[in-house]
Amino acid sequence: MKAALLVGPEKIEIGEADPPPLGDGEVRIRPVLAGICGTDISIYLGHRPAPYPFILGHEVMGRVAAVGAGVGALRVGDRVIVEPNYPCGECPLCRRGRGAVCARKGSMGVNLPGCFSEYATAPAEFVWRIPDGVSDRDAVTIEPLTVALHGLLQSGIGKGDTAAVIGCGVIGLLLVHSAAAMGARVLAHDRIEHKRELARAMGAAIVSGGEDAAGLWEREGVTAVFECAGAGATVELALSAAPRASEVILLGLSAEPAGFLPMRLVREGIQVRTSMIYDHPEDFGQAIDRVASGELEPARVVTRSFPFESLGEALRVAALGNEGKILIAME
Ligand SMILES: [Zn+2]
Ligand SMILES: [Zn+2]
């Protein structure tokens, strides 16, 4: 099959690879659209190790091409998306319902072959049929939407509340969109003006570069702060500027240390928690329902598309960090 092979840092070659074997309980998918995610970029740049040659990609919408033995609910031709993280299901964490942080989870395009190829396989339990009314572009952006929605639902934010979102990358933008759709007022912060404009288009009421966040959030009555930028400095901003009795939800994956003043957090009753991907299966089911009902339109985060043959260029553009979601047309 045709596949985009990462043969070394920043080196993509369109070549041939053996199709992934189709095991019992698995589904083979012919990708139609795929999305580029920050995880793809860090592996592409060599910041995360990969067993070269490696097939990247985990945000995929496509059609079922074949089903393995024992797969009852899906048929060849079904329009599907993949929930691309597979908790082992057996370890103590999985048994406690904490599969999102299972140390043995399989992840498409991270420690298992990805979707930037003619065929990809996934366990049927993690393949979701998409309702007819959901467009291909909305379908392929449901995976990052689910990450954002899970983060939002970790907080107590609801209709009429005010939330602040730091970092208007794809997850931040989808969080702005989800919170605004829920009836919350959203303040969005990013250093890049163009991203602030995207946030405004996704429903943010106030946008800024994050200057005087403490004063602004206090005046505006922010009760939850979502850190989606994933840098040490922005985590410190969230923890130092969060108003009294607010919640801070960390979604960004900063590899830099961040400091905080414990006395302030304790005395002012600030709750800090993390949000890692999503819980299987309820979060994906809920995200699909909210898109199917028309409440959420995650494709609004898409700013560019490239053909499959130009995946290398698409990854280079994505790595510059100026775009929203970049899609790859796989057919
Ligand atoms: Zn991702
Ligand atoms: Zn597990």
Side-chain angles (χ1 to χ4, degrees), residues 22-59:
L22 183 63
D24 292 354
E26 290 188 335
V27 177
R28 177 173 290 152
I29 295 158
R30 175 80 176 92
V32 172
L33 283 178
I36 292 180
C37 162
T39 305
D40 300 319
I41 297 167
S42 49
I43 300 172
Y44 168 72
L45 294 174
H47 298 167
R48 285 174 72 151
Y52 306 120
F54 187 66
I55 301 173
L56 287 170
H58 58 269
E59 297 177 6

